[in-house]
Amino acid sequence: MNVPFLDLGAQVRELREEIDDAIARVLSSGWYLLGPELETFEAEWAAYTGSAYSVGLGNGLDALALALRAYGIGPHDEVIVPSNTYIATWLAISQVGATPVPVEPDEATFNINPEKIEAAITSRTKAIMPVHLYGHPADLDPILEIARTHRLRVIEDAAQAHGAEYKGRRIGSHGDAVCWSFYPTKSLGALGDAGAVTTNDPDLARDLRRLRNYGSTKRYVCEVKGYNSRMEELHAAVLRVKLKHLDNWNSRRRGIADRYGRSLSSRNLSLPVEASWARHVYHLYVVRSRSRRALQLHLEHLGIGTIVHYPIPPHEQAAYSDLRMADDSLPVAHSMHTEVLSLPASPHLSDSQCQLVIDAINTFSE
Ligand SMILES: Cc1ncc(COP(=O)(O)O)c(C=O)c1O
């Protein structure tokens, strides 16, 4: 492959010594869960995201589900969610027994369209879950305003938005709870599964710390029916190393996006945009093409890896057949899923690899 979609090994090679040191430190500490590495990472991640609290968890899906659970959202409740997101956002709602109520996205930013939210609110609605998809923040102010008016929680899915900014402020504390994934391919990724919630709500932080540890704050005393979902010391130590490089990596991602934006022919392609109030971190660089399959094959033929994020919208997944939603009931999500294609744009892509992608796309003819 001339240009792999993502080469996680390149990231580790860049930081090999620092990562080895961090791992060695944990190994010799003799302490592997809920220890000093997690505590320090939580403080560093709270500071980075501008939030008062950060609670490290087992993965991003748990971060979403535990935030819902901590706010008492469960059976008979409805949660508003984008129609075009990774399935985990919907699964978190289902895990607590609530019902996802999809709202279509804005065509330009791929994020939930605030103008369509109010029509979806019922007496059972308890929360809105905006997703900052692909690294572009959702338009939070109108969402927060609707939530205030209708007394709803705002639980953000920030799994793809490490370092993104909304109106000059980093994502991390706009809503009641902001949920993170540190899955290895994320812009800040662990060496396995890890997640977190950031918040300014002290009660939420306390409840999440209890929920992640069997519902206990005191050993062998179970106060609520909890889970086992704790970020491991090894992951926290590695994330601390990588966090120091996140801003540089995001700048590099933005540089690649800028170059693509200036050089890719937009004849048959629509390119991602950045709203005037947003700082996009291009976790994914997603274009839209009516000839996606042909374009993907053309690139594959030239040794360029691409991925579709995502091929099937949640309401068309077998898992959600119980909602009985026709495929064409959410036409914006449906058409996005048939047209989106993510190009290689990781910070470790070289300038010459970038040029190969540009040349390959500009020579594509249907
Ligand atoms: C938008 C979104 N939400 C939630 C998740 C779930 O995170 P995790 O894989 O850590 O459970 C992911 C990533 O996988 C994601 O991209």
Side-chain angles (χ1 to χ4, degrees), residues 48-338:
Y48 183 85
T49 55
S51 56
Y53 307 95
S54 163
V55 181
L57 300 165
N59 56 69
L61 173 56
D62 283 358
L64 294 161
L66 296 197
L68 288 162
R69 163 87 195 271
Y71 277 136
I73 296 165
H76 311 300
D77 294 335
E78 292 176 354
V79 177
I80 290 178
V81 67
S83 53
N84 65 319
T85 178
Y86 183 54
I87 195 68
T89 325
W90 285 46
L91 289 176
I93 299 167
S94 304
Q95 266 194 17
V96 298
T99 304
V101 175
V103 166
E104 290 270 59
D106 164 50
E107 294 268 6
T109 63
F110 292 103
N111 285 323
I112 194 165
N113 186 340
E115 286 172 15
K116 294 188 176 167
I117 291 178
E118 273 191 307
I121 294 175
T122 71
S123 57
R124 289 163 59 179
T125 310
K126 290 292 179 328
I128 307 172
M129 286 181 103
V131 181
H132 309 299
L133 201 66
Y134 308 147
H136 189 295
D139 191 2
L140 287 170
D141 277 350
I143 296 172
L144 292 165
E145 185 57 39
I146 295 166
R148 249 191 307 274
T149 308
H150 296 269
R151 295 172 178 272
L152 307 175
R153 295 289 185 187
V154 174
I155 298 174
E156 298 167 52
D157 181 339
Q160 303 186 0
H162 310 77
E165 291 175 19
Y166 180 68
K167 298 190 177 169
R169 211 175 105 209
R170 279 204 189 116
I171 294 298
S173 65
H174 295 81
D176 296 286
V178 183
C179 305
W180 303 93
S181 164
F182 304 109
Y183 179 76
T185 61
K186 298 303 186 211
S187 299
L188 179 64
L191 299 181
D193 280 315
V197 173
T198 53
T199 182
N200 286 338
D201 176 351
D203 295 339
L204 176 69
R206 182 205 55 215
D207 290 349
L208 288 170
R209 287 183 203 288
R210 187 163 58 176
L211 279 174
R212 75 178 171 186
N213 194 33
Y214 311 110
S216 302
T217 42
K218 216 163 140 196
R219 188 180 273 194
Y220 305 134
V221 179
C222 182
E223 296 144 31
V224 292
K225 295 186 188 84
Y227 306 79
N228 174 354
S229 184
R230 304 167 295 208
M231 184 193 293
E232 294 167 18
E233 287 287 279
L234 270 175
H235 294 318
V238 171
L239 287 171
R240 290 183 58 206
V241 171
K242 291 195 184 183
L243 178 53
K244 289 189 244 148
H245 301 267
L246 177 60
D247 283 344
N248 276 346
W249 290 336
N250 278 342
S251 299
R252 173 76 186 149
R253 286 180 189 277
R254 286 177 58 81
I256 292 169
D258 183 53
R259 186 159 172 200
Y260 281 166
R262 281 183 287 109
S263 316
L264 290 179
S265 147
S266 50
R267 227 171 348 113
N268 299 312
L269 214 58
S270 90
L271 304 180
V273 298
E274 181 179 56
S276 58
W277 38 260
R279 185 172 191 272
H280 195 333
V281 284
Y282 297 96
H283 169 63
L284 296 168
Y285 188 92
V286 179
V287 299
R288 284 178 78 169
S289 163
R290 292 227 165 86
S291 323
R292 177 177 71 193
R293 189 63 196 134
L295 175 61
Q296 189 171 33
L297 286 173
H298 168 77
L299 294 174
E300 192 181 313
H301 187 69
L302 295 170
I304 296 169
T306 58
I307 299 188
V308 172
H309 295 96
Y310 299 91
I312 306 173
H315 73 287
E316 294 175 33
Q317 298 280 0
Y320 283 101
S321 54
D322 56 330
L323 292 182
R324 293 181 206 291
M325 299 189 69
D327 288 3
D328 59 4
S329 59
L330 296 166
V332 184
H334 182 84
S335 77
M336 279 178 180
H337 283 75
T338 58

Side-chain angles (χ1 to χ4, degrees), residues 3 252 259 349-359:
V3 190
R252 173 76 186 149
R259 186 159 172 200
L349 208 66
S350 68
D351 287 346
S352 54
Q353 285 177 313
C354 243
Q355 193 57 47
L356 284 176
V357 176
I358 292 166
D359 293 343

